[in-house]
Amino acid sequence: MLTLVMLVGLLLALVGLLVIAALAYIVHRRPVLTQPVTVALGTATFLITAVGIVVAASAR
């Protein structure tokens, strides 16, 4: 079970990094939306929180 949780966490991190990169690219191409750094940091914060929850759940 622990290995499954670790693999899900890794998959979540990889998908999250792809989403961060995609959002930064989209916002960079269309600066009207918002600042690229703000979007990337907001998404990174969400990713870190989600990975932290998965790791905390696997520690139980």
Side-chain angles (χ1 to χ4, degrees):
M1 183 67 178
L2 180 63
T3 305
L4 179 62
V5 172
M6 298 281 277
L7 288 174
V8 169
L10 177 64
L11 181 62
L12 179 64
L14 291 175
V15 169
L17 288 174
L18 284 172
V19 169
I20 291 169
L23 285 174
Y25 177 74
I26 290 169
V27 172
H28 180 70
R29 298 285 291 168
R30 305 270 183 183
V32 175
L33 299 176
T34 186
Q35 297 295 327
V37 175
T38 305
V39 172
L41 288 176
T43 309
T45 303
F46 174 75
L47 172 66
I48 291 169
T49 303
V51 170
I53 290 171
V54 170
V55 169
S58 68
R60 290 184 185 184

